């Protein structure tokens, strides 16, 4: 899988398109396994695009709101160039955005948080209308964690819920699974069962 994977099915029939944003520090991790298990249940006419944030040449977000236009041409103030532009395009083309992030210190991974930070910059890009264009779409979360007590993920769920509300998006929910070692989430029968109907929740 490439960093910006363009493999998708034809979403013309339903008009829905899913962007899966992988925020793990390792490939084929438990969170990705759980996300793909849920994605397998989507109808074949729903488009899917997968983005792995870890290998992307995307620097930390820099707030450029108080800089001149020459200092921050895109409004994001990052200098990320083509990678940022492609990531922004993929975000705006999706009707459903799935943040697949392991639970790191009771919240999003650094890669996933960086991606959301870029949303702040995109909100300031003249003529982009990022906020109004995101309204009405659906934000989902998928996360694997080592702790068996799902209450420890409350902070992650609050982050996603409030982020969706801020932009007028719907929050589809958070799919949780237990797993620390490679592939361990497959042994979480409850999580794998939830995955089969997760995207029906809306």
């Amino acid at each position: 899988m490439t960093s910006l994977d363009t493999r998708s099915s034809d979403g013309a029939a339903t008009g829905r398109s899913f962007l899966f944003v992988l925020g793990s520090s390792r490939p084929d991790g438990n969170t990705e396994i759980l996300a793909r298990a849920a994605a397998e249940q989507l109808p074949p006419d729903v488009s899917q695009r997968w983005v792995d944030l870890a290998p992307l040449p995307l620097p930390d977000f820099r707030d450029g709101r108080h800089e001149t236009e020459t200092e921050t041409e895109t409004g994001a103030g990052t200098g990320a160039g083509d990678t940022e532009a492609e990531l922004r395009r993929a975000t705006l083309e999706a009707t459903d955005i799935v943040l697949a992030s392991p639970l790191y210190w009771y919240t999003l991974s650094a890669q996933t948080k960086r991606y959301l930070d870029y949303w702040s910059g995109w909100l300031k890009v003249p003529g982009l209308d990022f906020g109004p264009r995101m309204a009405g779409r659906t934000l989902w979360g998928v996360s694997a964690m080592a702790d068996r007590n799902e209450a420890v993920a409350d902070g992650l769920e609050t982050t996603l819920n409030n982020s969706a509300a801020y932009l007028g998006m719907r929050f589809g929910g958070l799919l949780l699974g237990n797993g620390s070692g490679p592939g361990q989430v497959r042994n979480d029968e409850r999580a794998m069962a939830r995955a089969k109907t997760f995207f029906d929740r809306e």
Side-chain angles (χ1 to χ4, degrees):
M1 181 180 66
T2 60
S3 300
L4 288 171
D5 190 348
T6 59
R7 292 178 295 173
S8 64
S9 56
D10 183 5
T14 63
R16 294 185 73 185
S17 56
F18 277 69
L19 174 65
F20 290 85
V21 181
L22 304 177
S24 178
S25 60
R26 65 183 183 188
D28 303 317
N30 287 298
T31 297
E32 181 177 349
I33 291 171
L34 188 58
R36 290 192 180 276
E40 288 175 359
Q41 313 305 315
L42 290 171
D45 58 355
V46 173
S47 174
Q48 296 181 32
R49 185 172 189 179
W50 294 78
V51 173
D52 187 0
L53 296 174
L56 290 183
L58 193 67
D60 288 339
F61 172 76
R62 181 167 57 87
D63 188 350
R65 286 178 296 174
H66 304 295
E67 298 177 1
T68 65
E69 289 187 6
T70 56
E71 291 175 311
T72 171
E73 294 179 359
T74 66
T78 60
D82 293 342
T83 299
E84 178 192 353
E86 182 64 19
L87 193 57
R88 182 175 61 203
R89 185 180 304 111
T91 301
L92 288 171
E93 287 176 353
T95 61
D96 296 75
I97 299 171
V98 185
L99 299 183
S101 167
L103 186 70
Y104 287 163
W105 288 104
Y106 312 106
T107 187
L108 296 166
S109 69
Q111 294 93 326
T112 313
K113 179 59 167 59
R114 181 189 297 121
Y115 167 66
L116 283 182
D117 286 345
Y118 271 79
W119 287 20
S120 300
W122 299 341
L123 284 167
K124 309 298 180 183
V125 177
L128 184 63
D129 294 327
F130 184 77
R133 292 170 69 182
M134 293 296 286
R137 304 174 192 227
T138 304
L139 183 67
W140 308 82
V142 179
S143 183
M145 57 185 186
D147 202 310
R148 294 186 179 276
N149 179 10
E150 293 188 353
V152 302
D154 286 352
L156 171 58
E157 186 166 17
T158 298
T159 294
L160 297 179
N161 192 10
N162 288 348
S163 297
Y166 180 75
L167 290 175
M169 302 175 70
R170 293 182 290 271
F171 178 51
L174 175 63
L175 174 61
L176 293 172
N178 177 260
S180 180
Q184 193 175 23
V185 74
R186 293 190 180 97
N187 299 327
D188 187 342
E189 296 181 359
R190 186 182 181 195
M192 299 307 288
R194 286 174 175 174
K196 292 182 178 180
T197 59
F198 179 60
F199 291 125
D200 295 337
R201 294 182 55 175
E202 188 180 10

